[in-house]
Amino acid sequence: MHADADLHALAKTLLKSVTLNASNALKLSCGTLEAMKSADFIVATLPEACELEDVALALILHTHNADMIYIDGEKQC
C-alpha cells in the first residue's frame, strides 16, 4: 500500500496516529509527554544498534512486549 513511502517518515506518522492524534480525536489530556498532561507511556527495549532517527521504526518492527507500563504516572503491574 505504501511501497514508495519513506519508512522512517511512515513509522513516525503511524506512531503519532496512535498517540497524539488519537488523544486529540478523543479530546483526552494525553498523547504527548508535557506538563499538565496525563503521563501514560510504555518503556520498551530497542535493539542496541538503534540510532535516534530509527526509534519510531524500531518500536514498530522490534517491540513485541512493553518492559513497563505507566498510566497517569503510576506504574502498572
Side-chain angles (χ1 to χ4, degrees), residues 11 15 41-48 50 54-69:
L15 285 178
F41 58 95
I42 63 165
V43 176
T45 302
L46 298 176
E48 288 183 34
C50 185
D54 299 329
V55 169
L57 187 58
L59 279 169
I60 293 170
L61 296 177
H62 300 292
T63 303
H64 304 289
N65 298 305
D67 295 330
M68 289 180 268
I69 300 171

Side-chain angles (χ1 to χ4, degrees), residues 12-47:
K12 288 178 185 179
T13 299
L14 291 172
L15 285 178
K16 191 173 179 182
S17 72
V18 298
T19 56
L20 180 61
N21 294 348
S23 170
N24 290 340
L26 296 171
K27 299 189 185 321
L28 300 174
S29 180
C30 58
T32 61
L33 294 177
E34 59 183 277
M36 307 307 293
K37 298 268 186 163
S38 296
D40 300 344
F41 58 95
I42 63 165
V43 176
T45 302
L46 298 176

